[in-house]
Amino acid sequence: MTQFAASVDDAVADIADGMLLAVPREVSGVPMEATRALIRRGVRRLHLVALPTSSLQADLLIGAGGVGTLETSAVSLGEFGAAPRFTQAVLNRSIVMKDATCPAIHAALQAAEKGVPFMPMRGLIGSDILATRPEWQVIANPYADNHDPIVLLPAIVPDVALLHAPLADRDGNVWIGRQRDLITLSHAARSTIVTVERVVDDNLLADPLRAPGVLPGFYVDSIAVAENGCWPLGLPDHYDTDAAHMKEYARLAASHDGFEAYLARYVLTPRAKAS
Amino acid sequence: MTAPNMIRDEELLASTIADLIGDVRHVAVGNASPIPATAALLARERGRQRGVARPYVSLLQSRKHNFFTDGGRELFDCAGQGRIDVFFLSGGQIDGQGNINLVAIGDYDAPKVRFPGSYGSAHLYYVVPKMILFRTEHSRRTLVEKVDFISAPGVSADGVHRTGGPIALITNRCFFRFDPARKRFRLESVHPGHTVEEVREHTGFDFDQPDTVAVTTPPSPETLALMRNTVAPQVAEVYPQFAAEIFNITAHPA
């Protein structure tokens, strides 16, 4: 069922312009090599959903002109400062921003996981986040004796979940460890593309210690090997964020020309070594 | 290098926050929050001294001080059930009714300034009983009469599920308590070296105050010793630069 792509570029070939693409937050395994492949291909008008926040990935995709709509709860480079291309795009109104709050994105994807049309969620009432999201409805809790308004969030069903994980096996099972957000994303999405550090020969589901941290190959459409695939972000328990590179990014991306120079140097030039 | 008898602002703030945390079951601290993290770990050490195994401290930025195994949603699920007693939020703007703005300055559709976004505030602010607002920059730019965008409101209309909300706002100048019935802050104390007049001058919202405003109680020698000797090495594991600067302590290699 799972295809093994010959390259990361091949793996992302099915992510078409305008698709609803869902990606994880920084600590979960952000597929940066695959993101660069998407930019090299010149992807456009993505509806990017980041569960529940994003950093370099959204900033890079936005700066490269690949995003039409962004739905997330925050974009920041964290200790490296504000996300400059995101900030500029919102100020220029060159993307449609759908502001959310973290648990709303979790809940909307969980609705998709369950195949139900919406999920109720506490909070939000009286916020301007709710005021700017006409598709989010407030209903009276039908099970309450007293007046109890509650927000309903329509399910988010991504066309593609794009993930990075440490290991896959030959059957397409992917070991995600404790990064359960990756499972939520994959369950919710119509298809899942995963880049991995390496492929192992034994079956990951056969090991009772690893099996609970496995995204079964049943959900996975395509896998490509991308060693250091989160770089310059880190992969928890495997490698740290490349702080020097992130500082360089923050400095260059502060201006349009600097960002173009960054793209030319680190993104648009294919890496010499095939992965 | 800090003279041993000198109390740093960060130590005063952490000590004040630890007192506010009090004796609770679970304190969670978000990313990039070294002073609240110091306060939470200090509250835990005080619990240990009293022989109680609380509060449980979850530092979301830390691998070690973070038990969550069900993804990012587990924090919010925990909070929704009432399993988190204390959390910390800040704001690009905070107003006199306890509303916080983490999104933008100006018109939302054509903003002048854009912040990263609301994160989990529009849920946590409603359901965590002790929400502590923490903003070191105390100015008319940050503490405004009315926020331009409400990421999360300080109070809710009758009938809206609201098991939590702000209890206090701690800044570099003072300590406000929040009164949800009056929908206003009340000046509790000014930090040593600061004055009520100065607080008025630099606060964009009106607030209540008692006839005599106290000076924020500095940490006792016992608290300082606990913070510097026992808490600081734990802080250094998560915030090495902060710990080096404030406590002159270096993290052990991971």
Side-chain angles (χ1 to χ4, degrees):
Chain A
M1 178 168 247
T2 310
Q3 303 283 316
F4 282 83
S7 70
V8 176
D9 294 83
D10 288 350
V12 301
D14 289 338
I15 302 176
D17 291 355
M19 274 190 170
L20 202 169
L21 178 68
V23 293
R25 69 187 170 139
E26 190 163 330
V27 298
S28 300
V30 175
M32 286 308 303
E33 186 57 38
T35 302
R36 286 186 287 271
L38 274 175
I39 293 170
R40 278 196 292 277
R41 213 197 61 217
V43 72
R44 288 289 176 268
R45 301 190 319 278
L46 288 174
H47 181 153
L48 186 69
V49 171
L51 174 66
T53 58
S54 189
S55 63
L56 176 68
Q57 184 180 30
D59 206 57
L60 203 55
L61 275 168
I62 291 167
V67 176
T69 298
L70 175 64
E71 189 166 0
T72 193
S73 304
V75 184
S76 162
L77 301 183
E79 62 184 295
F80 306 103
R85 294 296 98 199
F86 157 77
T87 306
Q88 200 58 49
V90 174
L91 296 181
N92 294 347
R93 293 189 267 176
S94 57
I95 59 168
V96 174
M97 183 63 202
K98 297 178 91 167
D99 268 289
T101 187
C102 300
I105 298 187
H106 285 284
L109 288 164
Q110 283 180 274
E113 273 191 292
K114 295 173 198 301
V116 297
F118 57 82
M119 191 71 84
M121 198 189 96
R122 288 303 190 190
L124 281 169
I125 295 171
S127 75
D128 285 329
I129 304 173
L130 179 65
T132 59
R133 298 294 296 263
E135 71 275 34
W136 291 359
Q137 295 191 22
V138 181
I139 63 151
N141 172 3
Y143 299 102
D145 295 329
N146 301 319
H147 176 60
D148 179 22
I150 188 163
V151 176
L152 300 186
L153 309 161
I156 296 174
V157 184
D159 293 308
V160 179
L162 181 61
L163 319 171
H164 184 82
L167 303 176
D169 68 20
R170 305 283 170 198
D171 295 319
N173 301 310
V174 174
W175 186 72
I176 54 102
R178 65 168 130 179
Q179 306 304 333
R180 307 297 296 183
D181 289 358
L182 304 187
I183 290 200
T184 301
L185 286 164
S186 177
H187 284 183
R190 294 192 176 93
S191 70
T192 296
I193 299 170
V194 184
T195 59
V196 295
E197 292 292 317
R198 61 193 178 92
V199 177
V200 297
D201 289 323
D202 58 329
N203 186 299
L204 291 164
L205 282 172
D207 174 358
L209 289 180
R210 287 187 295 188
V214 169
L215 170 65
F218 174 77
Y219 298 98
V220 180
D221 295 84
S222 182
I223 293 175
V225 174
E227 216 176 305
N228 245 5
C230 297
W231 179 86
L233 300 179
L235 179 62
D237 301 325
H238 294 265
Y239 45 87
D240 291 329
T241 297
D242 182 344
H245 186 92
M246 289 300 292
K247 284 178 192 159
E248 184 184 3
Y249 176 80
R251 183 172 58 78
L252 288 172
S255 74
H256 174 80
D257 290 352
F259 182 78
E260 293 299 320
Y262 178 91
L263 277 187
R265 193 176 311 159
Y266 293 109
V267 179
L268 299 177
T269 313
R271 288 183 146 184
K273 182 177 81 73
S275 41
Chain B
M1 185 70 186
T2 312
N5 56 352
M6 199 188 104
I7 298 169
R8 298 195 55 134
D9 290 347
E10 292 82 357
E11 293 173 324
L12 174 79
L13 296 174
S15 160
T16 305
I17 293 171
D19 291 345
L20 264 173
I21 291 170
D23 183 17
V24 296
R25 193 161 157 259
H26 189 183
V27 183
V29 185
N31 291 351
S33 307
I35 293 172
T38 303
L41 294 168
L42 176 60
R44 186 174 69 181
E45 288 307 321
R46 285 175 169 171
R48 284 178 177 163
Q49 286 188 336
R50 290 195 310 274
V52 296
R54 62 175 185 264
Y56 201 100
V57 174
S58 291
L59 305 182
L60 303 182
Q61 187 160 317
S62 160
R63 304 294 286 163
K64 184 177 168 187
H65 300 282
N66 182 340
F67 65 76
F68 295 116
T69 54
D70 198 22
R73 71 185 183 214
E74 190 176 356
L75 167 75
F76 305 106
D77 292 350
C78 250
Q81 292 176 297
R83 293 182 196 265
I84 294 176
D85 302 293
V86 184
F87 197 77
F88 302 88
L89 282 173
S90 190
Q93 292 178 323
I94 298 170
D95 75 19
Q97 294 189 25
N99 300 312
I100 60 171
N101 173 8
L102 295 159
V103 167
I105 291 179
D107 180 21
Y108 178 70
D109 293 320
K112 291 199 281 273
V113 175
R114 172 72 204 200
F115 304 127
S118 299
Y119 294 95
S121 63
H123 178 251
L124 296 173
Y125 211 43
Y126 294 74
V127 294
V128 174
K130 288 185 169 183
M131 289 290 326
I132 298 172
L133 296 172
F134 182 69
R135 179 77 215 218
T136 47
E137 184 196 327
H138 183 144
S139 70
R140 285 180 175 263
R141 193 177 77 99
T142 55
L143 305 188
V144 299
E145 188 179 351
K146 188 93 190 81
V147 294
D148 291 351
F149 183 97
I150 300 176
S151 287
V155 294
S156 293
D158 287 347
V160 173
H161 180 85
R162 188 94 202 214
T163 50
I167 61 159
L169 165 61
I170 310 281
T171 75
N172 61 328
R173 301 183 199 272
C174 71
F175 165 17
F176 292 107
R177 280 193 195 273
F178 187 69
D179 182 342
R182 287 177 54 77
K183 304 177 188 176
R184 281 166 71 86
F185 286 102
R186 182 173 190 275
L187 185 58
E188 180 78 12
S189 63
V190 293
H191 302 332
H194 299 273
T195 66
V196 176
E197 293 69 33
E198 171 204 329
V199 167
R200 285 266 170 215
E201 183 190 336
H202 292 282
T203 306
F205 56 75
D206 191 27
F207 54 84
D208 297 334
Q209 69 176 75
D211 293 338
T212 310
V213 178
V215 173
T216 308
T217 310
S220 67
E222 293 74 27
T223 293
L224 269 186
L226 192 61
M227 194 165 8
R228 291 172 178 174
N229 301 331
T230 309
V231 173
Q234 301 170 32
V235 174
E237 292 170 8
V238 189
Y239 296 104
Q241 283 182 31
F242 173 83
E245 188 192 328
I246 305 305
F247 300 115
N248 195 32
I249 192 166
T250 313
H252 301 293

